[in-house]
């Protein structure tokens, strides 16, 4: 446990100011700073009444060599000047102590740690050490692999180095094989992160999750509906000509359309009438949950009785025919009743697994001394 996990120091003053606002905190700007003109052009075309922070990559962590690896340190003033021109604070990715030093010297307002650095505790520690004694907000992207502890570890390393203003960015997770996503969202991981650090501002980066400029809105909306505080969307004046991540960047005009379509929902319902209605509905759910649990317990009692019967008659726990029939019948029936096929499949699997675990326990009972060591 990290001390003060829920304490206010985690809140970045500027980021948290918008936590209860009536719109998402918006980070926009190109994947990479390509030229002074390009950064200035994108900054000028952003709607600054709805964008809060200008982003641009200066050093780009590319998967393969011989790709465009960013313009490097000389691009820092382009970003800082473009932000100054339109009155937006600026942010970029740092992956080493040298990057940190250059950013601090150039006057970058907020730093972010990229997914390929979060994954490596040595890199995070180098960045954290370079930041010791510096009061600058830092955003931490999730690691490229779905490892919650690495993400938490990066936040802890920065916290130990004295960073008090932090936020995290959910940008999805690498995967093998085909998917519609460039990086799988695996929403359960940001939810677990949010549960661990409820006061830490969390932003979603639909651009890197989707990898494509079509389909960003549903991801952005889902993030908001899960209580995230804002979004990072890669924005380029001419996305097709972008030197990195061309497929996923959008124009400032498209960004405005997405923001128009986005419905801003909050976790805390402040209207007392709505809050009462919600409380009533939740009370009904609680009653139904009690009933479901009562029935599940009754069901497992019968499962164990069946286990006794199988034991006495030397029948195997797994009865393949019965299991197949159950799955077939229930899948159809329950989907017809309105449950999703995916839910039915998962529910039956977990039910079957628990039934087998319980019957295994029954089988292994010797006299009065239980051997409860059975692991499914
Ligand atoms: C980026 O934001 O351009 C970037 C490289 O992101 P990530 O670290 O999420 O891949
Ligand atoms: Mn990018």
């Amino acid at each position: 446990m990290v001390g003060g996990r829920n304490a206010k120091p985690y809140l970045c003053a500027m980021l948290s100011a918008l936590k209860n606002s009536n719109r998402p905190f918006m980070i926009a700007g190109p994947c990479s700073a390509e030229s002074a003109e390009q950064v200035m052009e994108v900054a000028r075309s952003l709607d600054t009444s709805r964008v809060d922070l200008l982003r641009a990559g200066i050093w780009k962590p590319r998967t393969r060599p011989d790709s465009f690896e960013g313009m490097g340190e000389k691009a820092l003033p382009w970003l800082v000047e473009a932000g100054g021109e339109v009155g937006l604070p600026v942010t970029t990715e740092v992956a080493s102590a040298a990057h940190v030093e250059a950013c601090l010297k150039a006057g970058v307002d907020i730093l972010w740690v990229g997914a390929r650095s979060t994954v490596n505790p040595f890199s995070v520690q180098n960045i954290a050490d370079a930041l010791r004694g510096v009061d600058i907000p830092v955003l931490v992207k999730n690691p490229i692999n779905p490892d919650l502890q690495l993400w938490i570890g990066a936040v802890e390393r920065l916290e130990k180095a004295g960073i008090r203003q932090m936020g995290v960015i959910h940008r999805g997770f690498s995967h093998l094989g085909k998917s519609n996503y460039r990086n799988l969202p695996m929403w359960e991981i940001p939810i677990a992160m949010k549960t661990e650090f409820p006061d830490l501002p969390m932003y979603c980066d639909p651009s890197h999750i989707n990898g494509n400029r079509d389909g960003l809105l549903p991801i952005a909306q889902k993030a908001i509906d899960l209580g995230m505080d804002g979004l990072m969307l890669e924005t380029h004046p001419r996305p097709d000509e972008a030197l990195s991540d061309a497929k996923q960047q959008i124009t400032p005009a498209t960004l405005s359309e997405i923001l128009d379509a986005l419905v801003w929902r909050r976790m805390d319902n402040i209207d007392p009438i709505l809050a009462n209605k919600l409380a009533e509905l939740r009370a009904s759910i609680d009653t139904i949950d009690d009933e479901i649990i009562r029935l599940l317990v009754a069901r497992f009692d019968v499962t164990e009785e069946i286990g006794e019967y199988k034991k006495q008659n030397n029948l195997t726990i797994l009865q393949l025919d019965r299991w197949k029939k159950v799955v077939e019948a229930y899948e159809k029936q329950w989907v017809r009743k309105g449950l999703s096929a995916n839910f039915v499949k998962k529910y039956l699997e977990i039910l079957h697994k628990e039934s087998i675990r319980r019957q295994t326990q029954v089988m292994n009972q010797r006299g009065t001394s239980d051997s409860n060591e059975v692991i499914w």
Side-chain angles (χ1 to χ4, degrees):
M1 262 299 277
V2 66
R5 176 156 292 186
N6 300 338
K8 293 293 170 201
Y10 272 116
L11 286 176
C12 163
M14 188 178 71
L15 306 181
S16 66
L18 279 152
K19 223 171 147 50
N20 296 315
S21 98
N22 55 3
R23 64 169 181 78
F25 184 86
M26 205 44 238
I27 308 164
C31 177
S32 304
E34 299 169 1
S35 67
E37 295 71 30
Q38 172 244 15
V39 188
M40 189 59 85
E41 186 181 355
V42 74
R44 284 193 176 129
S45 51
L46 289 172
D47 172 0
T48 49
S49 69
R50 296 196 287 184
V51 172
D52 305 283
L53 183 59
L54 177 65
R55 66 150 281 158
I58 303 292
W59 302 276
K60 298 306 296 179
R62 305 309 297 279
T63 306
R64 307 277 295 269
D66 304 326
S67 333
F68 169 67
E69 292 192 320
M71 300 304 282
E73 201 166 328
K74 72 168 182 288
L76 280 171
W78 307 343
L79 177 61
V80 174
E81 275 160 32
E85 167 82 10
V86 298
L88 287 180
V90 300
T91 184
T92 197
E93 172 177 350
V94 287
S96 67
H99 294 170
V100 170
E101 208 176 295
C103 285
L104 296 178
K105 215 161 84 194
V108 172
D109 303 285
I110 293 181
L111 307 176
W112 93 71
V113 177
R116 289 162 195 77
S117 300
T118 308
V119 80
N120 182 347
F122 288 139
S123 301
V124 177
Q125 194 57 54
N126 281 340
I127 295 167
D129 289 342
L131 282 169
R132 215 169 275 282
V134 183
D135 183 20
I136 188 169
V138 182
L139 303 174
V140 184
K141 285 201 170 196
N142 66 251
I144 46 174
N145 57 327
D147 187 332
L148 175 66
Q149 295 308 318
L150 270 177
W151 201 3
I152 292 176
V155 169
E156 287 173 340
R157 282 176 198 279
L158 289 160
E159 188 220 11
K160 278 176 183 285
I163 293 296
R164 285 289 167 267
Q165 306 182 74
M166 255 191 274
V168 288
I169 302 177
H170 166 230
R171 51 76 78 195
F173 303 89
S174 281
H175 59 92
L176 197 62
K178 261 182 121 78
S179 160
N180 290 335
Y181 296 110
R182 176 177 174 191
N183 291 293
L184 298 180
M186 305 181 83
W187 297 101
E188 64 278 16
I189 296 180
I191 290 172
M193 189 69 175
K194 212 172 174 36
T195 312
E196 192 88 3
F197 297 97
D199 287 333
L200 195 59
M202 180 179 280
Y203 310 101
C204 181
D205 171 352
S207 304
H208 288 88
I209 291 175
N210 204 42
N212 195 303
R213 68 187 71 123
D214 300 318
L216 294 170
L217 177 61
I219 299 171
Q221 186 64 60
K222 177 144 185 177
I224 299 306
D225 292 346
L226 292 177
M228 294 199 199
D229 302 289
L231 303 166
M232 177 185 260
L233 281 164
E234 286 188 336
T235 320
H236 192 286
R238 286 165 299 282
D240 285 331
E241 293 171 21
L243 299 181
S244 59
D245 287 350
K247 280 201 297 202
Q248 71 195 31
Q249 300 208 57
I250 51 174
T251 60
T254 307
L255 175 67
S256 288
E257 284 167 24
I258 290 178
L259 293 181
D260 288 342
L262 203 68
V263 184
W264 181 233
R265 301 184 175 112
R266 287 292 70 197
M267 213 174 264
D268 303 317
N269 199 332
I270 29 172
D271 179 332
I273 297 171
L274 286 180
N276 274 345
K277 181 71 194 154
L278 202 57
E280 245 175 63
L281 292 170
R282 283 182 177 151
S284 308
I285 287 224
D286 291 346
T287 312
I288 295 169
D289 279 342
D290 279 348
E291 184 67 1
I292 291 174
I293 296 303
R294 191 184 63 73
L295 290 170
L296 269 179
V297 170
R299 189 192 190 284
F300 286 130
D301 286 347
V302 179
T303 300
E304 287 179 9
E305 263 181 59
I306 295 176
E308 275 299 335
Y309 181 84
K310 286 176 178 167
K311 182 179 180 180
Q312 278 157 25
N313 293 284
N314 276 338
L315 289 170
T316 55
I317 293 175
L318 180 63
Q319 297 282 316
L320 209 50
D321 277 353
R322 157 84 182 151
W323 171 234
K324 274 193 196 155
K325 269 188 209 137
V326 166
V327 171
E328 237 169 67
Y330 286 168
E331 268 182 0
K332 282 193 198 115
Q333 279 175 34
W334 293 353
V335 168
R336 242 182 276 129
K337 287 195 163 128
L339 296 179
S340 78
N342 187 35
F343 177 83
V344 171
K345 186 169 173 283
K346 287 203 172 124
Y347 172 72
L348 284 172
E349 269 169 16
I350 199 166
L351 203 62
H352 193 227
K353 205 161 147 178
E354 176 65 2
S355 298
I356 290 181
R357 191 190 66 80
R358 283 172 178 260
Q359 292 190 355
T360 309
Q361 251 176 11
V362 170
M363 289 277 182
N364 288 350
Q365 264 167 18
R366 305 211 198 297
T368 51
S369 68
D370 281 1
S371 89
N372 282 343
E373 299 303 308
V374 184
I375 295 168
W376 162 258

